[in-house]
Amino acid sequence: MDGFQRRREQKKLNILEAALQLFMDFGVQKVSISDIAKKANVSQVTIYNYFESKHNLVNEVFLYYIDKASSNFEKVIHSDKPFPEKIKMIIFNKKEVASSINEEFYQYLMKEYSSEGNYIEKIYAEKAVPYLHLLFKEGKDQGYIDQNLSEEAMLFYIYMLKDYIQREDVYQKILPLTEDITNIFFYGIMGKERE
């Protein structure tokens, strides 16, 4: 990649990152192209040259956000941290996202998530499920997950939760419960300190 192409890609990344931060803070509707241009230190024309419309920019930010979340999840899974620390990092990240994401932007993401054949489904099938297999295996190998639990049962539970979350009447209410749901998934209803 030559210098021009590298600068062009960096400028696009700066726009996506600026838009994501603003959408996370204020939602999609309240953020203007002018706001994004100011934060990204580019002109509004530059944004339209890259994305053509705010609608296209929002879609690109959505894809960028999902890729970024997937990459962060992958880093945790492949880190050399002990299994309990990985679980804490995953839970903490979910908690941080839940407390920092704007409600309107979250609703947009979930509406996109609930459509058939969406990008999140693709990333989930291609990346998240294989990473979960690795995490389950590591948890069993280190004695943190009951050896008698089958991966099929654990994945079934995840799919069940995922399918339920995709319902519109559910995803509108789930944001404040993210931390509790994640804790129940990883620690059960008995909590962390089971003897």
Side-chain angles (χ1 to χ4, degrees), residues 16-46:
L16 289 170
E17 190 60 41
L20 176 59
Q21 288 175 12
L22 289 168
F23 293 160
M24 291 283 282
D25 290 343
F26 306 107
V28 175
Q29 297 301 318
K30 291 182 182 174
V31 175
S32 68
I33 292 294
S34 170
D35 297 330
I36 297 166
K38 191 180 301 176
K39 186 158 185 71
N41 204 23
V42 298
S43 71
Q44 293 180 53
V45 172
T46 300

Side-chain angles (χ1 to χ4, degrees), residues 60-105:
E60 286 289 322
V61 167
F62 170 72
L63 299 177
Y64 174 71
Y65 176 77
I66 300 307
D67 287 341
K68 193 173 173 178
S70 173
S71 175
N72 289 339
F73 184 67
E74 180 179 2
K75 285 176 189 165
V76 170
I77 298 296
H78 292 300
S79 74
D80 57 359
K81 304 258 188 247
F83 181 79
E85 187 65 27
K86 288 181 183 183
I87 298 304
K88 285 179 190 162
M89 290 171 74
I90 291 167
I91 290 171
F92 182 73
N93 181 49
K94 298 269 191 229
K95 180 182 172 188
E96 286 299 301
V97 169
S99 64
S100 67
I101 193 168
N102 176 276
E103 180 75 24
E104 185 224 343
F105 185 55

Side-chain angles (χ1 to χ4, degrees), residues 90-151:
I90 291 167
I91 290 171
F92 182 73
N93 181 49
K94 298 269 191 229
K95 180 182 172 188
E96 286 299 301
V97 169
S99 64
S100 67
I101 193 168
N102 176 276
E103 180 75 24
E104 185 224 343
F105 185 55
Y106 173 78
Q107 296 298 335
Y108 175 85
L109 290 173
M110 292 312 292
K111 194 166 284 253
E112 182 65 29
Y113 180 44
S114 64
S115 65
E116 261 322 290
N118 63 67
Y119 189 65
I120 294 177
E121 289 261 333
K122 180 177 182 281
I123 293 297
Y124 184 80
E126 291 175 5
K127 294 184 177 182
V129 170
Y131 297 152
L132 287 170
H133 280 290
L134 288 174
L135 189 63
F136 294 156
K137 181 179 179 339
E138 181 180 330
K140 281 187 173 190
D141 290 348
Q142 294 178 13
Y144 291 104
I145 294 179
D146 185 340
Q147 294 293 326
N148 296 319
L149 284 177
S150 70
E151 279 196 28

